[in-house]
Amino acid sequence: SQIEIQSGNLYVNGQIRRPLASTNGILNYSQSGGSVFIYGNNPQAANLIKAKLEVLNDGSSFNMSGGTLTIVRGGGTTFGDLYLRPSSSSVTGGTIIFTQVPSSGPLVDAVQSYSLDANIPLNNLTITGKTAPTTQTSTLTLMVSPLSLNGSLNLSNSYSILNSNNLNISLKGDLNNYGTYNYNTNTTTFNGGVQLITGSSISSFYDLNVASLTSLTVNNSFTVNRNLTINNGNLVLGASRVSLLGNLINNGSYTDDNNTGGITLAGAAQQQVSG
C-alpha cells in the first residue's frame, strides 16, 4: 500500500494500520506537504492492539519532508498510537503533532494519553493540550525506542506533557518548553548547531549532554540531577544558574554573566570536575 500527501487536508476517521488478525502488511508513507489528521474513532477491542498509524515490516518506508501529521485521539496499547519501524526512511522536515485540538476538523474534549515508538529520527515533535473553554491535558509517553529529533521538541502550553519513560532523547533543534518535560532517568542530548532552550517552564534534566556544534543557550535556571557533560560547543548560561548534583565533564566551554549565572556544585556526595 502507498499513501502520498503533497498538499491539502487528509482526514482519517479511524486508523491507518495492518489487518486486525495479522502482523503482515506493508505501507510506503510519503508526505511533502499538506496536513493529515488521524482521529482513531470508534475502536473495536481488536483495534486497540494496532496503532493509529503504523509503518513497519520489510519493504515499508516512511518519508517526510514537509507538512503536518496530527494524532487526535490517544489510547493505543500494544503498538501505541504512532508506531514507526520502517525498512527505510528519510525525514528532513515536517511536524508530528499530538493534540485533541487539531488545527482543522472536530476536537476531542477529553484528557488524551498518547504513546509513541519510532526507531527512526523524526523532525519536529509537538504536544498541545486543550486550554479553552475547558482544559484537558495531552500526555505523550515513549514506549521502547529512544527519541531522536532532527528538529525541535515543542511543549506548547501548560497542559502538554512528555514522559521519557527513562528513554534517551536527542535534539538537533530547540526545546520549547511551556509544559512538563519528565526526564525520569534518561540522558537528554543537544547535538545540533545553534540551539535554544525556551519557554516559561523550567527545563531540568537527569543527565544533560551538550554536543552542539556551536552553542546551546538557556533562558532559565535549572537543575541537572546527575551529570552535566559539555562535549562540544558553548553552553551559554547568561544570568541563569545550573544546580549540578553530579559531575561536570567539560570538553567544550560555558559562559555566564559572572554575576548571578554559573554552575553550582550542589550534590550531597563528592563531585568531580574533569575534561
Side-chain angles (χ1 to χ4, degrees):
S1 301
Q2 181 168 322
I3 297 177
E4 182 175 355
I5 305 100
Q6 297 180 355
S7 62
N9 294 333
L10 171 63
Y11 299 94
V12 179
N13 188 52
Q15 301 164 267
I16 302 176
R17 55 162 173 75
R18 295 161 293 164
L20 292 179
S22 173
T23 57
N24 298 323
I26 299 170
L27 173 63
N28 294 312
Y29 182 96
S30 179
Q31 185 172 3
S32 57
S35 299
V36 177
F37 303 92
I38 302 177
Y39 276 84
N41 286 324
N42 302 317
Q44 302 299 313
N47 294 29
L48 293 176
I49 67 171
K50 301 293 172 64
K52 306 300 187 300
L53 171 63
E54 49 187 22
V55 183
L56 68 160
N57 293 329
D58 291 341
S60 64
S61 64
F62 182 85
N63 301 310
M64 192 172 189
S65 59
T68 60
L69 168 60
T70 301
I71 308 293
V72 180
R73 189 182 294 276
T77 53
T78 304
F79 292 94
D81 296 294
L82 180 61
Y83 191 81
L84 301 177
R85 293 193 173 192
S87 290
S88 63
S89 66
S90 174
V91 179
T92 59
T95 301
I96 295 175
I97 303 169
F98 293 86
T99 183
Q100 66 270 78
V101 191
S103 61
S104 178
L107 58 84
V108 179
D109 192 7
V111 169
Q112 296 300 310
S113 296
Y114 306 97
S115 49
L116 162 68
D117 191 65
N119 68 353
I120 60 171
L122 306 176
N123 193 51
N124 296 320
L125 178 64
T126 296
I127 306 166
T128 302
K130 182 175 178 289
T131 59
T134 58
T135 60
Q136 306 287 358
T137 58
S138 287
T139 302
L140 175 64
T141 300
L142 303 182
M143 294 176 64
V144 177
S145 303
L147 177 64
S148 176
L149 298 180
N150 292 327
S152 297
L153 173 59
N154 308 298
L155 305 179
S156 299
N157 54 45
S158 58
Y159 302 98
S160 311
I161 302 170
L162 175 64
N163 288 327
S164 76
N165 195 23
N166 302 319
L167 297 169
N168 294 338
I169 296 176
S170 62
L171 307 170
K172 292 187 183 299
D174 302 329
L175 172 57
N176 304 308
N177 185 9
Y178 295 87
T180 301
Y181 177 65
N182 290 328
Y183 45 82
N184 304 118
T185 58
N186 81 339
T187 297
T188 304
T189 298
F190 291 84
N191 57 355
V194 177
Q195 298 183 266
L196 303 172
I197 298 178
T198 70
S200 56
S201 296
I202 302 299
S203 298
S204 292
F205 306 94
Y206 185 68
D207 283 321
L208 175 61
N209 180 18
V210 180
S212 305
L213 293 175
T214 303
S215 62
L216 172 64
T217 301
V218 308
N219 68 330
N220 283 314
S221 298
F222 62 94
T223 299
V224 176
N225 288 274
R226 201 167 72 154
N227 298 329
L228 169 60
T229 302
I230 307 174
N231 272 320
N232 200 70
N234 183 20
L235 175 59
V236 182
L237 298 174
S240 299
R241 182 169 292 275
V242 180
S243 294
L244 178 61
L245 305 186
N247 299 326
L248 171 63
I249 303 97
N250 184 11
N251 294 308
S253 63
Y254 75 89
T255 58
D256 57 58
D257 65 355
N258 290 319
N259 186 12
T260 58
I263 298 176
T264 297
L265 300 178
Q270 180 175 335
Q271 295 173 264
Q272 296 182 350
V273 178
S274 63

